[in-house]
Amino acid sequence: MIDVIIPAHEKDIHTLELCIAGAKKNVVGVKNVYVISATKLSDNAIWFPEDRLPFSLEDVAQKIGKHWRTAWYYADLLEGCASVLVDGPSPYTLILDSDTIFLRP
């Protein structure tokens, strides 16, 4: 079994549902699909609120400064530890960008 974790932002809403559907249909052994976001963006996945994370975008900005790549660093940090933070029931985790859409198994 495998859990799928998708960090997302409101700007990703146009591809998020396709990402979720493609993962559920074409990734073999999917147990749960989680979306990590500030607000609930889908009813087709389990929502993991960003405020449950042990760090925030503001925390990252305080450490590295606020510039056009701060959100990228935040997203990379989130993806790097998402499987530990979400702690789903499956022994394996697949982290997806919200614009990754699986079309075939």
Side-chain angles (χ1 to χ4, degrees):
M1 300 308 265
I2 188 168
D3 288 327
V4 175
I5 300 174
I6 308 166
H9 185 271
E10 289 178 8
K11 68 174 179 53
D12 303 318
I13 199 76
H14 301 294
T15 57
L16 181 60
E17 293 301 329
L18 294 171
C19 178
I20 294 168
K24 286 181 175 181
K25 180 179 178 186
N26 295 311
V27 176
V28 177
V30 170
K31 174 97 173 148
N32 292 307
V33 177
Y34 298 90
V35 173
I36 301 176
S37 59
T39 60
K40 186 174 181 180
L41 301 175
S42 175
D43 291 327
N44 295 314
I46 300 166
W47 178 44
F48 189 92
E50 278 184 17
D51 61 12
R52 288 182 50 196
L53 298 172
F55 54 86
S56 67
L57 179 58
E58 292 76 31
D59 294 333
V60 174
Q62 287 177 356
K63 293 290 183 188
I64 66 169
K66 199 169 204 174
H67 48 79
W68 67 279
R69 285 196 174 165
T70 305
W72 287 4
Y73 290 115
Y74 172 71
D76 288 345
L77 181 61
L78 191 156
E79 289 175 0
C81 58
S83 60
V84 175
L85 298 172
V86 171
D87 195 28
S90 301
Y92 301 101
T93 305
L94 173 65
I95 309 294
L96 292 179
D97 287 332
S98 59
D99 59 356
T100 302
I101 302 165
F102 289 100
L103 302 176
R104 292 182 286 203

